[in-house]
């Protein structure tokens, strides 16, 4: 039996976390990631799991996930450090037979608890497990700079955000054809925001938290990271376009260019000088 950190789902998780860090989406301990293990993956790692510790409350009820195992990031742990020290930053947790409590079975060797956004992660997983017929396994929360910036200037409506972001990159409507949802500012880390986010996950794979970040759901690490990356890139293009539309206050004029041509004895064709 291999080490848990060598299992392919753990390696995929760690790589994705590092990719997110390199994008600049995970300042300090910002963001969190969770993965619902397949039955065969649970069997693969079971001989190496720790003796069960105490059951602790999830902070919400997820009966649809009773008995499931998850790989999750730890609360307060830095994405930046995951690649160097996964055992200290991430954990495998097991849920009880009611979906009300969890216990740590591996990882967080220096102490700690799963992400403070565990209620949102698990409520999203519960919804997605059902509506995708068990296909979706990854829930990803990142502090994506451009999407966050847009939540200060665009109306916080699903329709407006979806339409604006679809328009900025031809592939967007293909990558998230169901659109995306937005919720206004709420206190993070609890059951209330988890309920609102999981409602959006019934119909979308992307939920934006105003002035905070984004949640994405997907089948695997590539698709979920790719979704986050696509939405954030589209937001970056939109911000560039909006910034450019503010116009110039002053510029090099046609006449300036003519004067330059004269003094420097170069020929600047008129057709490039004249602006339609
Ligand atoms: P955690 O460190 O508890 O995962 O919290 C980070 C975060 O992004 C909260 O929204
Ligand atoms: Zn956050």
């Amino acid at each position: 039996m291999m080490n848990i950190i060598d299992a392919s789902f753990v390696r995929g998780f760690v790589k994705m976390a590092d990719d997110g860090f390199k994008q600049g989406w995970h300042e300090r301990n910002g963001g969190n990631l969770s993965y619902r293990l397949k039955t065969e993956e649970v069997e693969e790692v079971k001989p190496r799991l720790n003796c069960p510790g105490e059951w602790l409350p999830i902070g919400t009820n997820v009966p649809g996930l009773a008995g499931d195992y998850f790989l999750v990031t730890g609360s307060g742990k830095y994405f930046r450090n995951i690649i160097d020290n996964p055992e200290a930053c991430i954990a495998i947790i097991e849920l009880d037979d009611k979906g009300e409590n969890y216990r740590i079975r591996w990882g967080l060797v220096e102490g700690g608890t799963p992400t403070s956004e565990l209620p949102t992660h698990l409520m999203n997983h519960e919804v997605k497990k059902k509506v995708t017929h068990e296909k979706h396994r990854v829930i990803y929360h990142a502090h994506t700079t451009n999407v966050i910036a847009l939540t200060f200037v665009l109306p916080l409506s699903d329709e407006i955000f979806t339409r604006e972001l679809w328009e900025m990159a031809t592939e967007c409507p293909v990558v998230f054809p169901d659109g995306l949802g937005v919720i206004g500012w709420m206190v993070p880390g609890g059951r209330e925001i988890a309920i609102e986010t999981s409602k959006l996950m019934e119909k979308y794979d992307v939920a934006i938290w105003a002035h905070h970040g984004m949640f994405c759901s997907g089948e695997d690490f590539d698709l979920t990271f790719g979704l986050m990356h696509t939405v954030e890139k589209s937001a970056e293009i939109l911000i560039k376009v909006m910034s450019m539309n503010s116009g110039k206050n002053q510029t090099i004029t046609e006449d300036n260019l003519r004067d330059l041509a004269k003094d420097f004895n170069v020929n600047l064709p008129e057709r490039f000088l004249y602006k339609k």
Side-chain angles (χ1 to χ4, degrees), residues 82-139:
I82 291 178
I83 192 137
D84 290 328
N85 201 358
E87 290 106 320
C89 298
I90 64 179
I92 293 176
I93 59 167
E94 175 191 2
L95 303 200
D96 69 8
D97 59 5
K98 290 202 175 73
E100 287 174 3
N101 298 288
Y102 74 88
R103 58 188 179 186
I104 297 175
R105 298 299 308 272
W106 175 83
L108 288 175
V109 293
E110 293 168 6
T113 53
T115 171
S116 59
E117 305 295 1
L118 192 65
T120 297
H121 277 261
L122 294 183
M123 290 191 84
N124 288 350
H125 275 294
E126 188 183 39
V127 165
K128 283 301 184 188
K129 185 179 175 184
K130 188 165 154 233
V131 300
T132 71
H133 306 288
E134 309 228 355
K135 278 207 187 106
H136 279 208
R137 296 189 170 273
V138 183
I139 299 289

Side-chain angles (χ1 to χ4, degrees), residues 30-32 117 141-143 188 209 212-213:
N32 22 77
E117 305 295 1
H141 169 54
H143 293 178
W209 283 2
H212 184 143

Side-chain angles (χ1 to χ4, degrees), residues 257-268:
L257 290 168
R258 285 188 195 104
D259 291 344
L260 185 80
K262 209 160 110 207
D263 274 23
F264 283 80
N265 202 24
V266 289
N267 177 36
L268 300 180

Side-chain angles (χ1 to χ4, degrees), residues 44-225:
E44 187 189 353
V45 298
K46 230 174 199 167
R48 294 231 174 203
L49 293 178
N50 300 330
C51 293
E54 56 171 331
W55 291 111
L56 296 162
I58 292 166
T60 191
N61 296 343
V62 283
L65 302 176
D68 281 348
Y69 286 71
F70 293 85
L71 182 58
V72 298
T73 49
S75 185
K77 305 295 180 186
Y78 290 25
F79 267 54
R80 180 173 161 254
N81 294 333
I82 291 178
I83 192 137
D84 290 328
N85 201 358
E87 290 106 320
C89 298
I90 64 179
I92 293 176
I93 59 167
E94 175 191 2
L95 303 200
D96 69 8
D97 59 5
K98 290 202 175 73
E100 287 174 3
N101 298 288
Y102 74 88
R103 58 188 179 186
I104 297 175
R105 298 299 308 272
W106 175 83
L108 288 175
V109 293
E110 293 168 6
T113 53
T115 171
S116 59
E117 305 295 1
L118 192 65
T120 297
H121 277 261
L122 294 183
M123 290 191 84
N124 288 350
H125 275 294
E126 188 183 39
V127 165
K128 283 301 184 188
K129 185 179 175 184
K130 188 165 154 233
V131 300
T132 71
H133 306 288
E134 309 228 355
K135 278 207 187 106
H136 279 208
R137 296 189 170 273
V138 183
I139 299 289
Y140 182 31
H141 169 54
H143 293 178
T144 41
T145 317
N146 294 287
V147 163
I148 296 169
L150 282 179
T151 65
F152 291 90
V153 296
L154 288 185
L156 300 177
S157 107
D158 299 5
E159 290 75 20
I160 290 173
F161 264 80
T162 299
R163 182 67 176 83
E164 290 290 344
L165 293 172
W166 272 2
E167 199 175 319
M168 287 301 109
T170 305
E171 302 252 311
C172 279
V174 181
V175 175
F176 49 102
D178 298 329
L180 48 78
V182 188
I183 56 176
W185 188 87
M186 289 181 77
V187 176
R191 187 158 181 270
E192 295 305 309
I193 199 167
I195 292 169
E196 293 308 313
T197 313
S198 63
K199 276 187 208 157
L200 293 181
M201 286 291 173
E202 304 253 357
K203 39 187 177 171
Y204 309 119
D205 292 339
V206 184
I208 293 171
W209 283 2
H211 323 325
H212 184 143
M214 216 189 327
F215 268 85
C216 287
S217 172
E219 287 181 34
D220 59 26
F221 299 120
D222 277 352
L223 287 166
T224 315
F225 185 85

